[in-house]
Amino acid sequence: MKNWQALLLIVVAYIAMHVASILMQIPFALYFMKDTTLSDLDIQFHTVAWSLFTANLIAAIVFYILIRRRKNFFKVFKGKTASFGMTILWGIIGFILALVGQMVAGMIEMVAFGTEPGSDNTNLLGEIAQTAPIIIISIVLFAPLLEEIVFRRAIFGGIYTKTNFFIAAIISAFLFAIVHGELEHTLVYMGPAFAFSFIYYKTNRILAPIIGHLLMNAFVVIVQLNQDKIEEWQNLQQSLIMFFQ
């Protein structure tokens, strides 16, 4: 099997994973409905969390089978491959760039298009995580791993070999945004995606964008799960400012 065929199968497996996660909701829903202590909303949250986790796990195994025997599969660009230490450093830099890119994109959306800040998907995943923590593994581990292989190696890397960095980065970032299903926040998703493409290009290691993506998703999960504490801290700060004024 040639590399382009493996890349195509990876994309197909990724699409199949999303379809499977929806189909799996039926048996999982029937299973959780047997627990009379769960509310209807809890059943929905557990169903979504476990179906997504299971589909992600299967997809990760399929990706491994497709990739394991392919030497230099992730080495797409010319030049040396970054050391492990530099790869970690670039992963951290990618996390910072992704946050900055997301904030700038959010401001552009708000000023230019009047789009309200905040993501319904992120808020929903935060609510699900409080009820079914298993989804945290999907968000923090599987999403960075699978999405970077698909969008950075398969799509960005594949297009790069036929065009150039900017065309490949823009197309892969746009598709990354579309898949997340919030068209009003297309720029917000494209910002981090572009940053992850950049650090993949700089390091020639897929591990760098995976680390950056993982750190970003972990940061978002921590913020979502501690929203109440953050609001309390903000209220305390405001009270102290008013007191000293």
Side-chain angles (χ1 to χ4, degrees), residues 13-206:
Y14 180 75
I15 296 172
M17 176 198 73
H18 284 282
V19 175
S21 68
I22 296 173
L23 297 177
M24 287 179 185
Q25 290 184 14
I26 297 174
F28 274 115
L30 293 174
Y31 172 79
F32 287 113
M33 286 172 64
K34 296 177 182 178
D35 189 342
T36 57
T37 64
L38 296 176
S39 66
D40 290 343
L41 187 59
D42 288 343
I43 292 172
Q44 292 178 26
F45 285 173
H46 280 292
T47 296
V48 171
W50 279 97
S51 59
L52 182 60
F53 170 79
T54 305
N56 285 171
L57 180 59
I58 295 172
I61 295 171
V62 172
F63 279 24
Y64 173 73
I65 294 172
L66 290 172
I67 296 169
R68 61 176 179 164
R69 294 182 179 177
R70 299 183 176 277
K71 295 181 179 180
N72 298 321
F73 180 77
F74 294 109
K75 190 174 181 180
V76 181
F77 318 104
K78 295 180 180 180
K80 294 182 179 180
T81 300
S83 65
F84 183 70
M86 286 302 298
T87 299
I88 294 175
L89 177 60
W90 272 107
I92 296 171
I93 293 172
F95 163 60
I96 297 171
L97 290 176
L99 284 181
V100 173
Q102 195 171 63
M103 287 188 291
V104 172
M107 291 175 62
I108 293 174
E109 285 184 351
M110 191 165 52
V111 173
F113 307 110
T115 304
E116 292 294 327
S119 167
D120 291 337
N121 281 349
T122 301
N123 294 333
L124 177 59
L125 290 173
E127 292 178 12
I128 295 175
Q130 292 178 355
T131 302
I134 190 68
I135 202 173
I136 296 175
I137 298 178
S138 291
I139 298 171
V140 177
L141 180 61
F142 283 131
L145 176 65
L146 300 176
E147 289 179 357
E148 291 310 309
I149 292 175
V150 172
F151 292 98
R152 247 54 69 190
R153 174 55 188 99
I155 298 177
F156 168 66
I159 296 175
Y160 172 84
T161 59
K162 303 297 181 182
T163 56
N164 58 51
F165 172 84
F166 289 102
I167 292 176
I170 290 172
I171 293 175
S172 61
F174 180 72
L175 292 175
F176 178 79
I178 295 299
V179 164
H180 284 80
E182 291 185 298
L183 297 181
E184 69 276 16
H185 293 305
T186 297
L187 293 180
V188 167
Y189 285 105
M190 288 184 69
F194 202 92
F196 297 146
S197 293
F198 173 71
I199 62 172
Y200 182 27
Y201 174 78
K202 290 293 292 184
T203 62
N204 218 354
R205 279 184 181 268
I206 196 66

